[in-house]
Amino acid sequence: MIRITLLAEQNCVLSGLAASIEFFNLCSIFLPYLQENVRESHFHTEIVTENGKVVSSFGGIPIQPTRSIHDVLETDLILIPSFQPTVEPLRSMSGKILEWIRQHYQRRAKVAAISAGAFVLAETGLLNGKNATTNWLFLREFKSRYPEVRLKPQQIITEDSGLMCTASNNFTADLCAYFIKQLGFNELAAKFSKGMMLHPSWENQSPWAIFEVQKNHNDRNVLQVQGWMEENHADIGYIDSVAERFSMSPRHFKRRFKRATGDSPLTYLQRLRVEAAKRRLESTQDTIDEITYLVGYEDTNSFRRLFKKHTGLSPRQYRTRFSNTNDVNLI
C-alpha cells in the first residue's frame, strides 16, 4: 500500500488537495485491471493538520482532517498544497510542522509541493542546493527569500532527491501522475494521463508568464529610462542610443541598468517587445509580419526565434492557445 499524506493548514488552497485525493482514489480503482495481485486500496490518502482539528481553506471552506501530523508514523509521500497569500502561512505555521516534514523525508518519504506550497518546503531547508519551481507570479519573492534554492522558473514540474514541485494548481494531476510513474506504474500513469487529458509535453510555464517589470529599486535615472523604453520600445534602433539620450556612457548605462533591474538593457527591450507581440497575438488578427514591424523588428524569422526563446512557443502556437478572437489568420 502506498501511503499519501496531505497537509492542510489555514488558507491552503483546497483544489490541490481535492484533485490529489480524487486522482489517487481513481488509481486504486483502476490499478487492479492493469496489474494482477493488487488490492483496490493500493493508494491510501489522508488529510492531516498539526493538531488534528478543522482548518479553513483559502475561500473559507472548512477542511476536516483524518488525524494529527503527530499520529502519522510512516508515509510514502507528503503533499503540501498551495497557500494564499503565499507568505502568510509562514508567519503562523508551527516549527513542528517543518520538523515533521524533515523527519519523514529523512525516513525516505518523498515530499511534493504544489505552486506556492514550495515556500513551505523551502522553509524546511530541504530544498537548499536543489532544483525547485513555483508559479511565475511568485518567482521574485521566492528568489529573494530562498537564494540557496536552484529555482527553475520555466519548468512545470521539478524533482530532485525525492523533493517534487509543480508550478500551478492546474498541474496537480500531472504531479500525481509523475509520482506514480516513479513508483513503476508506467501503464497506469500513461492511461490516466491520456484519460484526464494531461499535458506531459508542457515542459515549461513560459507561455503563461507575464513580464514582471522590476521597478522596486531606488535608481531614479533608471526608472526614468524604463518608463521611456516602455513607451517607445518599437522605435529604439540600438541600445547605445538610449544611453546617449539619457547622457550616460554605454558601458556605465548597461552596468547601472543591470544592477537596478536584474536585466541587461537589451534583454529588457526584447522582453517589452515580446509582451507587446503577445498582446497583439491574443487580441488582434494582425499577421506575424505586421506584428514584427509594429513591435520594432524588421526580420520576421529572427523575431520568431526570439519569441520562442522567451515563451517556449512559436507565435502561431501562442495565438492558437491564447487568442481571444474568433477568426485567426496568421501567415
Side-chain angles (χ1 to χ4, degrees), residues 234-292:
D235 301 319
I236 298 173
Y238 54 98
I239 286 297
D240 287 356
S241 68
V242 181
E244 293 169 5
R245 181 181 182 85
F246 288 89
S247 303
M248 288 185 270
S249 71
R251 184 176 180 182
H252 174 68
F253 167 63
K254 292 171 185 176
R255 184 171 59 249
R256 186 170 175 176
F257 193 96
K258 171 85 171 181
R259 183 171 61 244
T261 69
D263 285 322
S264 70
L266 178 59
T267 299
Y268 193 87
L269 177 61
Q270 290 174 344
R271 296 177 74 179
L272 289 174
R273 288 173 167 175
V274 167
E275 282 302 310
K278 286 163 64 176
R279 289 193 294 271
R280 287 191 170 276
L281 289 166
E282 293 167 8
S283 60
T284 75
Q285 297 177 39
D286 295 342
T287 68
I288 186 59
D289 288 336
E290 292 170 332
I291 292 173
T292 298

Side-chain angles (χ1 to χ4, degrees), residues 27 45 54 66 77 87 94 96 114 126 165 194 205 237 283 312:
C27 284
T45 59
V54 173
T66 307
L77 173 68
V87 180
S94 165
K96 293 180 181 179
I114 300 172
L126 295 174
C165 301
K194 291 178 181 178
Q205 58 176 319
S283 60

Side-chain angles (χ1 to χ4, degrees), residues 125-239:
L126 295 174
L127 280 176
N128 289 346
K130 297 183 178 67
N131 296 330
T133 192
T134 189
N135 192 282
W136 64 269
L137 287 167
F138 317 135
L139 292 176
R140 195 181 300 278
E141 182 181 8
F142 191 95
K143 287 179 182 178
S144 175
R145 291 183 67 92
Y146 310 109
E148 295 182 50
V149 179
R150 294 199 299 257
L151 193 61
K152 303 294 182 181
Q154 292 80 23
Q155 292 185 227
I156 292 295
I157 294 175
T158 59
E159 191 278 331
D160 193 334
S161 306
L163 301 172
M164 294 171 281
C165 301
T166 190
S168 167
N169 264 296
N170 292 337
F171 293 97
T172 297
D174 299 76
L175 181 66
C176 295
Y178 181 86
F179 173 67
I180 63 173
K181 188 173 182 179
Q182 282 192 320
L183 296 174
F185 300 115
N186 294 338
E187 186 180 2
L188 180 64
K191 286 189 179 296
F192 263 84
S193 294
K194 291 178 181 178
M196 299 182 72
M197 293 186 287
L198 305 183
H199 301 83
S201 62
W202 287 1
E203 296 176 353
N204 68 74
Q205 58 176 319
S206 298
W208 289 270
I210 299 171
F211 177 33
E212 184 181 354
V213 177
Q214 168 60 295
K215 292 186 176 178
N216 187 25
H217 57 79
N218 298 318
D219 193 322
R220 293 184 179 180
N221 288 341
V222 172
L223 284 171
Q224 186 179 5
V225 174
Q226 287 177 270
W228 184 85
M229 289 177 70
E230 289 162 23
E231 293 181 6
N232 299 278
H233 62 267
D235 301 319
I236 298 173
Y238 54 98
I239 286 297

Side-chain angles (χ1 to χ4, degrees), residues 50-71:
E50 181 183 0
N51 54 20
K53 296 181 180 179
V54 173
V55 297
S56 292
S57 68
F58 176 68
I61 299 175
I63 301 175
Q64 175 67 58
T66 307
R67 52 181 175 164
S68 159
I69 61 171
H70 308 294
D71 298 322

